[in-house]
Amino acid sequence: MSKVEGLFFAGQICGTTGYEEAAAQGIVAGINASLFAEKKNLLFLSREGSFIGTMIDDLCTSEFSEPYRVLTSRSEYRLLLRADNSDLRMSPIGRKYGLINNRRWKGLKNRLKKLEESSRVFNNTSINNNSPYLNQINQEVSIFSKKEKKLSDLLCIDKIDYDLMVYYGLIEKKLNQREILNLEVEYKYINYISRQESHIRNLEKIFDTKIKPNINFMNIDQISKEGRERLSKTRPKSIKEASKVVGISPSDIQALIIHILK
């Protein structure tokens, strides 16, 4: 049925179970059916940009022995695909396709503006080590340092949160609880998030790597036998195409990358 142009499926027929999976596929199928009828480019959700994209990619490139469920463990990008930033990630896409009304869009833009302003304050405001405010906080949390600390450095500390900094007069409270959560997560997990973003950028470069047309996949012993057979049959032209071959595991792709780049 995949060869029938303009036909879009959703739900159990695609190999999933559960209401959420069907609903997610349904909205994508509905949007794309509409776009197809208007002869416009179809909606594509990337694997690193959403769990819906992860699900669709898995269903199209992998084989499952039981009905598919969306789990956080399905995504290698789950540090970026968080519940607290889901609307920040997906609303611009929804707006593009007419699914986000003006009131909601205005609210999102105001929220983003407040977060950006708060980030500038945290990144550019330094607190001297002799500051009475810092001394008060130090009674609760040990943060001894000979250098000045930026507010962003303080917020990265596990036992210091936004409300504590407000309580001791380091900042004015200008964010609501939802916005505070957004800000705190970004700072407290900044090293992990930055590492994953860097990993995605590196993967994008690697995925663009071309595979020589005369390569003999059967000679790459580090790839599983099934993987070698599938790659030999499909003859992908790049690492990205190879990663989309049904039945090819992440370890097979890793072995292929090492072989090509060595």
Side-chain angles (χ1 to χ4, degrees), residues 23 39 76 105 116 126 155 202 223:
K39 301 185 184 308
E76 61 272 41
W105 184 242
E116 289 169 0
S126 296
L155 194 56
N202 292 334
I223 298 177

Side-chain angles (χ1 to χ4, degrees), residues 1-2 4 7-11 13-14 25-26 28-29:
M1 298 303 288
S2 61
V4 180
L7 181 61
F8 300 90
F9 288 106
I13 193 171
C14 296
Q25 293 171 72
V28 174

Side-chain angles (χ1 to χ4, degrees), residues 15-17 21 54-55 58-59 64 66-70 74:
T16 62
T17 185
E21 289 79 5
T54 300
M55 174 182 66
D58 283 345
L59 292 174
F64 298 95
E66 57 185 27
Y68 181 94
R69 291 302 305 265
V70 172
R74 298 278 192 196

Side-chain angles (χ1 to χ4, degrees), residues 115 155 161-163 166 173-186:
L115 287 171
L155 194 56
D161 57 26
Y162 185 93
D163 288 332
V166 170
K173 187 166 186 176
K174 296 183 177 181
L175 303 179
N176 60 36
Q177 288 306 120
R178 188 179 188 185
E179 293 158 352
I180 290 172
L181 176 62
N182 288 142
L183 190 73
E184 287 185 342
V185 169
E186 287 294 330

